[in-house]
Amino acid sequence: MSIVVTGATGHLGRHVVEQLLEKVPAERITAVVRDEAKAADLAARGVRLAVADYNAPETFDHLFAAGDKVLLISGNEFDKGRVRQHRVVIDAAKAAGVALLAYTSAPGTLTAALADDHRATEEVLLASGLPYSLLRNGWYHENYTENLAPVLEHGAVVQAAGDGRISSASRADYAAAAVAVLTGEGHENTTYELGGDEAWGFASYAAELSRQTGKEIVYSPVSVETFAGILSGAGLPEPLAAILAGVDVSVEKGELVVTSGDLSRLIGRPTTPLAEAVTAALKG
């Protein structure tokens, strides 16, 4: 029986594999990757590699075995039909008779267009009859802290979220939840609403950046249209810019505030505070 992680060289996937290596023997872990070279370090540590692509269904033939536990990390190719891509993995997992398929979804409260593919994938997974676990991941600290250069340059956090708040957590926190589900018992047919312990707003985020950098950084709220224009001006394709700007509409409505406590319960510790992620980003 293997624990199989798709998208294993992505930001979240790497965290998951690293944390799995702390809990189970390397030979029990299969990392599904598109580019074997990017996973050479994992192979060197004894992790089994499987080369497969969501866009090539045949590459998933015979990849899974009966009894495997699978983590399907949602794809990031918004223009390639993510639900179709995810169905490829779900169909292959069903054919093999895996013991559990966990899927990284989005909060059940999120109505932004970003959530549409996740809701549709959940429907495909539930209809498959596979034992499932829906890991409805909230927003990541790193969505903001990994792009600090323009914020520091202009002395402003620019978003279209008004006074909305977010229960974000670190990628490592969400990875720890996935590892808990993949290595634990009793997670079949479960849905977890995952988010950080403390919700925060962009004014407090700007204040934290000011505190840690010693520079004056303000929160500058803008309209959704202006924000989408800023994102596309920074090089994002217009459809993706519109999707991300739409998330800010959801933030303003409170749709990314998660109060379930599921994340800290699953990982057995408090979630990582935003201030820690800021510190790590500024050091990096």
Side-chain angles (χ1 to χ4, degrees), residues 1-2 9 38 56 111 120 173 225 268-269:
M1 189 274 288
S2 283
T9 53
K38 286 186 179 173
T111 63
D173 291 342
E225 294 75 20
R269 59 170 172 78

PDB file of all heavy atoms in Angstrom, residues 1-2 9 38 56 111 120 173 225 268-269:
ATOM      1  N   MET A   1       0.845  -1.199   0.000  1.00  0.00           N
ATOM      2  CA  MET A   1       0.000   0.000   0.000  1.00  0.00           C
ATOM      3  C   MET A   1       0.879   1.247   0.000  1.00  0.00           C
ATOM      4  O   MET A   1       1.753   1.393   0.835  1.00  0.00           O
ATOM      5  CB  MET A   1      -0.903  -0.011   1.244  1.00  0.00           C
ATOM      6  CG  MET A   1      -1.971   1.079   1.242  1.00  0.00           C
ATOM      7  SD  MET A   1      -1.429   2.680   1.908  1.00  0.00           S
ATOM      8  CE  MET A   1      -1.302   2.334   3.646  1.00  0.00           C
ATOM      9  N   SER A   2       0.642   2.101  -0.982  1.00  0.00           N
ATOM     10  CA  SER A   2       1.404   3.343  -1.073  1.00  0.00           C
ATOM     11  C   SER A   2       0.537   4.539  -0.680  1.00  0.00           C
ATOM     12  O   SER A   2      -0.686   4.481  -0.758  1.00  0.00           O
ATOM     13  CB  SER A   2       1.893   3.567  -2.511  1.00  0.00           C
ATOM     14  OG  SER A   2       3.000   2.755  -2.807  1.00  0.00           O
ATOM     15  N   THR A   9       5.769  18.044  -6.931  1.00  0.00           N
ATOM     16  CA  THR A   9       6.844  19.035  -6.934  1.00  0.00           C
ATOM     17  C   THR A   9       6.304  20.467  -6.882  1.00  0.00           C
ATOM     18  O   THR A   9       7.073  21.432  -6.974  1.00  0.00           O
ATOM     19  CB  THR A   9       7.756  18.879  -8.182  1.00  0.00           C
ATOM     20  OG1 THR A   9       6.945  18.902  -9.353  1.00  0.00           O
ATOM     21  CG2 THR A   9       8.547  17.587  -8.107  1.00  0.00           C
ATOM     22  N   LYS A  38      12.744  17.390 -11.799  1.00  0.00           N
ATOM     23  CA  LYS A  38      12.416  18.276 -10.686  1.00  0.00           C
ATOM     24  C   LYS A  38      12.263  17.515  -9.372  1.00  0.00           C
ATOM     25  O   LYS A  38      12.210  18.122  -8.309  1.00  0.00           O
ATOM     26  CB  LYS A  38      11.126  19.036 -10.988  1.00  0.00           C
ATOM     27  CG  LYS A  38      11.294  20.146 -12.016  1.00  0.00           C
ATOM     28  CD  LYS A  38      10.013  20.942 -12.164  1.00  0.00           C
ATOM     29  CE  LYS A  38      10.178  22.063 -13.174  1.00  0.00           C
ATOM     30  NZ  LYS A  38       8.908  22.748 -13.448  1.00  0.00           N
ATOM     31  N   ALA A  56      -2.938  13.912 -19.927  1.00  0.00           N
ATOM     32  CA  ALA A  56      -2.716  12.668 -20.679  1.00  0.00           C
ATOM     33  C   ALA A  56      -3.247  11.502 -19.857  1.00  0.00           C
ATOM     34  O   ALA A  56      -2.515  10.883 -19.086  1.00  0.00           O
ATOM     35  CB  ALA A  56      -1.227  12.493 -20.974  1.00  0.00           C
ATOM     36  N   THR A 111     -17.941  31.539  -2.773  1.00  0.00           N
ATOM     37  CA  THR A 111     -18.792  31.582  -3.970  1.00  0.00           C
ATOM     38  C   THR A 111     -18.064  32.159  -5.180  1.00  0.00           C
ATOM     39  O   THR A 111     -18.621  32.197  -6.277  1.00  0.00           O
ATOM     40  CB  THR A 111     -20.057  32.434  -3.728  1.00  0.00           C
ATOM     41  OG1 THR A 111     -19.658  33.793  -3.459  1.00  0.00           O
ATOM     42  CG2 THR A 111     -20.870  31.895  -2.561  1.00  0.00           C
ATOM     43  N   ALA A 120     -17.334  21.353  -8.645  1.00  0.00           N
ATOM     44  CA  ALA A 120     -17.602  20.350  -9.685  1.00  0.00           C
ATOM     45  C   ALA A 120     -16.760  19.096  -9.476  1.00  0.00           C
ATOM     46  O   ALA A 120     -17.235  17.969  -9.672  1.00  0.00           O
ATOM     47  CB  ALA A 120     -17.341  20.950 -11.065  1.00  0.00           C
ATOM     48  N   ASP A 173       1.000  24.179   7.157  1.00  0.00           N
ATOM     49  CA  ASP A 173      -0.147  23.790   7.988  1.00  0.00           C
ATOM     50  C   ASP A 173      -1.123  22.916   7.185  1.00  0.00           C
ATOM     51  O   ASP A 173      -1.569  21.866   7.658  1.00  0.00           O
ATOM     52  CB  ASP A 173      -0.897  25.028   8.490  1.00  0.00           C
ATOM     53  CG  ASP A 173      -0.126  25.852   9.510  1.00  0.00           C
ATOM     54  OD1 ASP A 173       0.834  25.325  10.105  1.00  0.00           O
ATOM     55  OD2 ASP A 173      -0.491  27.030   9.709  1.00  0.00           O
ATOM     56  N   GLU A 225     -12.528  46.272 -10.305  1.00  0.00           N
ATOM     57  CA  GLU A 225     -12.082  46.523 -11.679  1.00  0.00           C
ATOM     58  C   GLU A 225     -10.643  47.049 -11.690  1.00  0.00           C
ATOM     59  O   GLU A 225      -9.810  46.614 -12.503  1.00  0.00           O
ATOM     60  CB  GLU A 225     -13.006  47.541 -12.370  1.00  0.00           C
ATOM     61  CG  GLU A 225     -14.422  47.056 -12.608  1.00  0.00           C
ATOM     62  CD  GLU A 225     -15.280  47.037 -11.333  1.00  0.00           C
ATOM     63  OE1 GLU A 225     -14.927  47.745 -10.352  1.00  0.00           O
ATOM     64  OE2 GLU A 225     -16.282  46.305 -11.327  1.00  0.00           O
ATOM     65  N   GLY A 268      -3.013  18.990  15.326  1.00  0.00           N
ATOM     66  CA  GLY A 268      -2.653  18.820  16.729  1.00  0.00           C
ATOM     67  C   GLY A 268      -1.854  19.960  17.324  1.00  0.00           C
ATOM     68  O   GLY A 268      -1.122  19.782  18.310  1.00  0.00           O
ATOM     69  N   ARG A 269      -1.989  21.135  16.744  1.00  0.00           N
ATOM     70  CA  ARG A 269      -1.279  22.327  17.250  1.00  0.00           C
ATOM     71  C   ARG A 269      -1.973  23.570  16.692  1.00  0.00           C
ATOM     72  O   ARG A 269      -2.753  23.477  15.742  1.00  0.00           O
ATOM     73  CB  ARG A 269       0.187  22.316  16.823  1.00  0.00           C
ATOM     74  CG  ARG A 269       0.378  22.287  15.312  1.00  0.00           C
ATOM     75  CD  ARG A 269       1.832  22.518  14.906  1.00  0.00           C
ATOM     76  NE  ARG A 269       2.050  22.297  13.486  1.00  0.00           N
ATOM     77  CZ  ARG A 269       1.728  23.138  12.514  1.00  0.00           C
ATOM     78  NH1 ARG A 269       1.132  24.296  12.813  1.00  0.00           N
ATOM     79  NH2 ARG A 269       1.984  22.858  11.245  1.00  0.00           N
TER      80      ARG A 269
END
